[in-house]
Amino acid sequence: MVNLKSWILLAILSVFLCKASSAAVESDALQSVLRRLDSKRAPSVVQESAAKGVLQRLLPAHLRSFEFKIISKDLCGGRSCFHITNYKSSSRNSPEILIQGTTAVEITSGLHWYLKYKCGAHISWGKTGGVQLASVPRPGSLPLVEAEGVTIQRPVPWNYYQNVVTSSYSYVWWDWQRWEKEIDWMALQGINLPLAFTGQEAIWQKVFLDYNITNRDLNDFFGGPAFLAWARMGNLHAWGGPLSQNWLNIQLALQKQILSRMQELGMTPVLPSFSGNVPAALKKIFPSANITRLGDWNTVSGDPRWCCTFLLAPSDPLFIEIGEAFIRKQFEEYGDMTDIYNCDTFNENTPPTDDPTYISSLGSAVYKAMSKANNNAVWLMQGWLFYSDSKYWKPPQMEALLHSVPRGKMIVLDLFADVKPIWKSSSQFYGTPYIWCMLHNFGGNIEMYGVLDAVASGPIDARTSENSTMVGVGMCMEGIEHNPVVYELMPEMAFRGANFQLQGWLKSYSRRRYGKVNDQIEAAWEILYHTVYNCTDGIAFHNTDYIVKFPDWDPSGKTETDISGTDISNQNGMQKLAGFQWNRRFLFFEKSSSLPKPHLWYSTEDVIKALKLFLDAGKELSGSLTYRYDLVDLTRQSLSKLANQVYLDAISAFLHEDAKALNLHSQKFLQLIKDIDRLLAADDNFLLGTWLESAKNLAMNSDEMKQYEWNARTQITMWYDNTKYNQSHLHDYANKFWSGLLEAYYLPRASMYFKILSRSLEEKVDFNLLEWRKEWIAYSNKWQESTEIYPVKAQGDALAIATSLFEKYFS
């Protein structure tokens, strides 16, 4: 059914393009990896059926409208591609469109491409408005493609997905039903290299039991469900735990379902490997082993119950033995489905020496532990440490680690390339293949933010740069289900070559997202592109609005000391430095003040104009779920920025000892919290209840239900440990603008603070920061342990509420 001449011409063209590609893609080592991974893929008939399954779940009425077929890479010049043509048949009941691809992922990518650019459809996460398929014509009336068809070839082999912490911030409470939707989304976006970390604790249990580590010992090793990512990386232990056997068994079964579906779709899962993080009991069982204790990671006072984990030195023979055992256990459970393994050494923990020889031996041992179990193993490593601890990772140290494994056996994720690309300053990672990644989000916060220009140009610039070693693009956000425009553009860059026109794409995006042309919406998106989605100042942390990250601060400027003599006047994971604000993750310039300032990179007046345009479009678009989500999010964003100024006005009134003005501004701040909560309650996607109920639904008994709910509540609030007078250093790191959380958690906190401010003026005494902390922390601890139920269904008319709030605050 495909014109043979067309395929010959396509093959010739593909060969030509292949010759012009980067040296990294052409390298023998990389090609060898790709050939081995191709050999592990499911049979063509299985992949075609899996692609059909995606279509059936997305557009069941159109199941017979499309024909899918796996083709050889030889027809794409040895590369991955998809080819869309009209189905040539005179039969009345025949399919309308034929999509061929080198894997099922390529086929589903082709399906998505056709639905976007021929049918005006839009596909995003359910929590960001879901799909807009109303513009897809009925079966029998699908639009034809041009006679020669549409062929899209990947310029680089891989489209990577996930951060090692996404599993905790976003996926932790997912069941198979939610995972199936996510894998479908991944397939449609063309993701072919996903991280697959679910259920690994059950594998570790099996490994460590062979070393006489008991389940009781593991209770002190594994973190709780919402904190597993950091226990896996050796940042903490036991916090939020222990893990029940129910959890271990259910998560292992879920992982097998996930991996099976990924393999059916032709994806290459990235499995975990051993980084040296071990239970404390191993030191007792092997007293001569070289096991050291790492430093404190973000606890308030170095509490040994969960701080300072144990690291088995790579130089110890036991390291390779345990690492090999872990890979082999995965083989036993999952079969042979990948050669790519993730391992992140010293994540936010500094090695004991900067000697390049030591670092090289460390890297060599990590890889040897993988390769003894799988001699074709490839080590995939997050490059976050090269940014977060750049004072340590100088060129000699970086090169020692990157060159500690055989050529072609390591891939680096340039994790923060959308803001701080390491490839530019590291001679393309000293010849090591890397994936250009967008980090974008910290803690899974809800904040409209993006650097669209960098996303649209960065991967192309990196791939076409001299001596490029880039082999893929990736999304490494800490949390998902927000900013749908960013997460549609980024994966599409895996298929885009040069001369990509972002502004034209954005106009097409707005039409597809809402299913129709609307001049006001297009004008609004033009503003948003130049403001909210044009952050060019390089500041990393942008989720610090006062409502959700309330300052732990004495506005009088005085310091107070706890009983140990420690300066606690500016806790919050920050220390006062001359003109700078510091925490473990970020160092960025601030004006000379001890008050943490929310990051603002755009004109709020311009964004309010965009909001007005959105509201004006409501009469035409109010029935669209995607429109409602964006309207609520944009209104929330605008009101939260207004609240920042109101807070500063309240503090100014306090400093000027104006009790009347303090009361006026503090009451306005509290009212804003209430109004934003009411707005968020009008959309199903901004509800605290959904998060809490999903946690409880995984429980098999009352004890698990109580533990899982505590995990869910704690992660989004205090996060980590605290004392009577000291909040967690990570408090509000995973803050969320969710209805229920604002009224029940953020509102009481601000109210307590302002009451003590007002009292200090009335009684002419200093502001008592310790009194506020004591009262607030006690409330927070109680809220984390509580079990009140919050709505899981929206209430109210989002457009009407947004309109009334605009008139109230911005008219």
Side-chain angles (χ1 to χ4, degrees):
M1 285 187 275
V2 179
N3 186 295
L4 182 58
K5 182 183 289 186
S6 297
W7 272 120
I8 293 173
L9 290 173
L10 172 64
I12 293 172
L13 176 61
S14 298
V15 171
F16 174 79
L17 291 173
C18 188
K19 288 182 178 179
S21 63
S22 67
V25 177
E26 286 291 308
S27 73
D28 291 341
L30 179 61
Q31 290 302 323
S32 177
V33 171
L34 293 172
R35 283 193 296 271
R36 286 196 309 273
L37 293 174
D38 285 343
S39 71
K40 297 177 186 290
R41 300 202 197 284
S44 295
V45 64
V46 173
Q47 293 192 58
E48 290 164 359
S49 177
K52 277 285 186 180
V54 175
L55 172 60
Q56 185 168 25
R57 289 183 289 276
L58 180 68
L59 279 168
H62 291 72
L63 189 59
R64 295 185 178 181
S65 299
F66 294 90
E67 179 72 14
F68 295 157
K69 184 174 178 58
I70 297 289
I71 57 174
S72 168
K73 278 187 176 181
D74 294 339
L75 294 173
C76 292
R79 309 288 289 282
S80 296
C81 79
F82 60 78
H83 186 59
I84 309 170
T85 56
N86 303 315
Y87 194 93
K88 296 179 175 62
S89 173
S90 58
S91 171
R92 181 181 177 186
N93 296 320
S94 68
E96 300 169 74
I97 300 296
L98 172 66
I99 303 179
Q100 300 175 92
T102 48
T103 66
V105 170
E106 308 309 320
I107 290 173
T108 51
S109 302
L111 172 64
H112 190 198
W113 196 278
Y114 174 82
L115 293 174
K116 281 199 292 189
Y117 296 116
K118 288 297 178 180
C119 302
H122 170 75
I123 298 167
S124 68
W125 288 302
K127 284 185 70 67
T128 56
V131 298
Q132 185 292 111
L133 300 172
S135 60
V136 180
R138 67 182 185 276
S141 304
L142 291 179
L144 300 177
V145 298
E146 46 267 40
E148 66 274 17
V150 176
T151 300
I152 302 293
Q153 188 182 54
R154 289 185 189 263
V156 284
W158 285 309
N159 190 350
Y160 175 80
Y161 183 50
Q162 295 179 41
N163 186 303
V164 294
V165 303
T166 320
S167 58
S168 290
Y169 282 131
S170 293
Y171 307 156
V172 54
W173 310 122
W174 284 6
D175 55 14
W176 170 243
Q177 184 180 22
R178 179 61 186 87
W179 261 111
E180 183 174 52
K181 291 178 180 178
E182 188 70 9
I183 297 171
D184 283 355
W185 180 88
M186 290 159 55
L188 291 162
Q189 302 294 341
I191 292 160
N192 59 6
L193 191 66
L195 199 64
F197 265 28
T198 302
Q200 63 176 278
E201 282 68 32
I203 304 292
W204 279 119
Q205 181 189 48
K206 295 174 188 292
V207 170
F208 284 128
L209 285 176
D210 290 342
Y211 287 87
N212 296 319
I213 302 290
T214 67
N215 285 332
R216 179 173 292 183
D217 295 329
L218 292 177
N219 287 342
D220 185 55
F221 180 59
F222 297 141
F227 303 96
L228 285 177
W230 300 276
R232 292 165 180 170
M233 292 185 288
N235 301 133
L236 55 81
H237 65 100
W239 178 253
L243 294 180
S244 70
Q245 194 62 47
N246 286 333
W247 174 272
L248 295 172
N249 295 342
I250 290 170
Q251 292 297 302
L252 180 59
L254 180 60
Q255 170 76 333
K256 291 178 179 179
Q257 287 180 288
I258 293 167
L259 292 175
S260 178
R261 181 60 56 82
M262 287 177 174
Q263 188 175 41
E264 290 169 2
L265 286 164
M267 299 176 182
T268 298
V270 178
L271 292 175
S273 61
F274 181 52
S275 64
N277 183 32
V278 295
L282 195 74
K283 190 171 180 64
K284 297 178 182 178
I285 296 170
F286 296 93
S288 62
N290 186 359
I291 299 174
T292 56
R293 198 156 195 182
L294 292 173
D296 183 23
W297 184 86
N298 281 316
T299 64
V300 168
S301 56
D303 194 320
R305 288 177 293 172
W306 31 78
C307 108
C308 313
T309 56
F310 290 87
L311 183 74
L312 175 62
S315 58
D316 194 294
L318 193 59
F319 183 100
I320 295 172
E321 183 182 321
I322 292 176
E324 179 185 2
F326 180 65
I327 299 290
R328 292 196 183 280
K329 287 291 184 185
Q330 291 186 107
F331 268 112
E332 292 175 14
E333 294 289 339
Y334 311 141
D336 182 10
M337 61 171 53
T338 189
D339 290 334
I340 303 186
Y341 301 92
N342 168 263
C343 182
D344 294 307
T345 53
F346 296 105
N347 180 73
E348 297 186 5
N349 284 301
T350 305
T353 174
D354 64 0
D355 181 0
T357 302
Y358 168 81
I359 295 170
S360 182
S361 66
L362 178 153
S364 179
V366 169
Y367 179 72
K368 188 174 182 181
M370 298 178 197
S371 60
K372 281 202 72 175
N374 181 351
N375 60 6
N376 293 318
V378 175
W379 177 4
L380 182 137
M381 182 186 74
Q382 292 193 150
W384 175 252
L385 70 170
F386 300 138
Y387 165 75
S388 66
D389 198 3
S390 58
K391 288 185 178 180
Y392 175 89
W393 292 101
K394 299 298 185 184
Q397 289 73 30
M398 283 184 67
E399 193 166 2
L401 180 59
L402 296 173
H403 289 175
S404 64
V405 302
R407 180 174 174 80
K409 296 295 188 179
M410 176 182 278
I411 302 168
V412 181
L413 300 176
D414 196 355
L415 207 73
F416 205 14
D418 54 323
V419 176
K420 301 289 184 182
I422 301 297
W423 70 267
K424 290 184 177 181
S425 59
S426 64
S427 300
Q428 305 262 350
F429 290 96
Y430 305 102
T432 303
Y434 75 95
I435 294 175
W436 193 103
C437 295
M438 176 191 75
L439 181 49
H440 182 261
N441 172 265
F442 296 98
N445 310 126
I446 297 172
E447 172 82 353
M448 293 180 72
Y449 160 84
V451 282
L452 293 185
D453 283 331
V455 169
S457 63
I460 296 173
D461 293 343
R463 179 175 53 81
T464 58
S465 64
E466 187 177 1
N467 299 320
S468 176
T469 57
M470 176 181 159
V471 294
V473 299
M475 295 184 290
C476 297
M477 64 284 115
E478 291 196 353
I480 64 167
E481 298 179 317
H482 51 76
N483 289 286
V485 64
V486 176
Y487 292 95
E488 179 156 331
L489 176 61
M490 186 65 241
E492 191 170 310
M493 297 312 297
F495 299 96
R496 289 290 185 179
N499 302 319
F500 177 64
Q501 299 299 319
L502 178 58
Q503 285 188 279
W505 183 91
L506 274 172
K507 184 171 287 190
S508 167
Y509 170 84
S510 69
R511 294 174 179 179
R512 289 185 285 103
R513 180 150 172 84
Y514 312 115
K516 59 181 68 175
V517 175
N518 182 283
D519 293 340
Q520 291 137 322
I521 284 290
E522 289 188 9
W525 269 104
E526 180 70 15
I527 294 172
L528 295 177
Y529 164 53
H530 290 290
T531 53
V532 169
Y533 292 109
N534 185 38
C535 184
T536 58
D537 58 18
I539 291 178
F541 204 47
H542 42 265
N543 307 289
T544 52
D545 287 343
Y546 289 137
I547 287 177
V548 293
K549 199 169 181 65
F550 202 79
D552 189 10
W553 180 69
D554 179 356
S556 67
K558 299 181 176 64
T559 62
E560 297 190 46
T561 307
D562 66 4
I563 56 174
S564 66
T566 303
D567 176 10
I568 59 172
S569 65
N570 195 29
Q571 297 284 347
N572 196 15
M574 301 179 184
Q575 300 170 348
K576 280 188 278 186
L577 296 172
F580 288 91
Q581 187 170 293
W582 166 260
N583 67 17
R584 289 189 60 86
R585 285 176 167 267
F586 310 112
L587 180 65
F588 52 87
F589 182 75
E590 284 288 358
K591 292 181 180 178
S592 158
S593 170
S594 59
L595 172 64
K597 302 287 181 62
H599 179 203
L600 185 63
W601 62 97
Y602 60 85
S603 163
T604 54
E605 291 82 2
D606 287 344
V607 172
I608 290 170
K609 292 176 184 176
L611 175 57
K612 180 62 167 63
L613 289 166
F614 253 86
L615 290 168
D616 291 343
K619 290 181 181 179
E620 185 177 359
L621 299 177
S622 60
S624 164
L625 295 179
T626 47
Y627 166 78
R628 187 179 72 183
Y629 174 87
D630 290 347
L631 173 65
V632 170
D633 204 22
L634 183 56
T635 307
R636 173 211 57 77
Q637 179 98 354
S638 301
L639 292 173
S640 68
K641 302 309 174 193
L642 173 62
N644 291 338
Q645 184 56 53
V646 173
Y647 173 85
L648 294 175
D649 291 341
I651 295 303
S652 176
F654 173 80
L655 294 175
H656 287 90
E657 300 183 358
D658 186 339
K660 184 177 180 180
L662 171 61
N663 180 66
L664 176 69
H665 295 307
S666 61
Q667 289 304 311
K668 185 175 181 180
F669 186 86
L670 299 177
Q671 187 60 48
L672 274 163
I673 298 177
K674 295 176 184 178
D675 285 340
I676 296 173
D677 190 280
R678 182 165 62 96
L679 169 73
L680 298 174
D683 190 286
D684 290 333
N685 305 305
F686 295 93
L687 304 179
L688 168 64
T690 305
W691 170 255
L692 297 182
E693 293 306 311
S694 63
K696 291 188 286 185
N697 287 340
L698 284 186
M700 301 296 289
N701 54 55
S702 59
D703 289 341
E704 289 179 358
M705 184 176 293
K706 183 177 180 180
Q707 179 194 14
Y708 296 176
E709 184 168 4
W710 183 90
N711 270 253
R713 286 169 174 259
T714 299
Q715 189 209 81
I716 59 175
T717 54
M718 197 61 79
W719 205 106
Y720 209 9
D721 67 342
N722 56 260
T723 62
K724 188 175 183 179
Y725 292 109
N726 283 3
Q727 296 192 70
S728 160
H729 291 324
L730 294 175
H731 76 85
D732 299 315
Y733 181 79
N735 66 70
K736 301 289 187 295
F737 272 99
W738 282 340
S739 176
L741 191 60
L742 269 76
E743 186 116 23
Y745 192 81
Y746 300 138
L747 180 64
R749 173 171 62 184
S751 180
M752 293 173 195
Y753 186 83
F754 286 131
K755 282 180 181 177
I756 296 177
L757 278 183
S758 295
R759 191 186 309 146
S760 69
L761 287 186
E762 292 170 6
E763 299 176 0
K764 300 187 184 309
V765 296
D766 289 341
F767 172 72
N768 193 329
L769 183 63
L770 290 182
E771 178 187 347
W772 174 71
R773 283 190 181 142
K774 178 182 178 181
E775 184 179 357
W776 163 242
I777 293 170
Y779 180 92
S780 180
N781 291 339
K782 182 179 179 181
W783 188 88
Q784 290 163 239
E785 294 173 356
S786 60
T787 58
E788 64 266 53
I789 296 173
Y790 295 88
V792 294
K793 293 294 183 183
Q795 304 171 25
D797 183 328
L799 177 58
I801 295 171
T803 301
S804 67
L805 293 178
F806 185 91
E807 293 172 354
K808 179 177 181 178
Y809 291 107
F810 300 126
S811 290

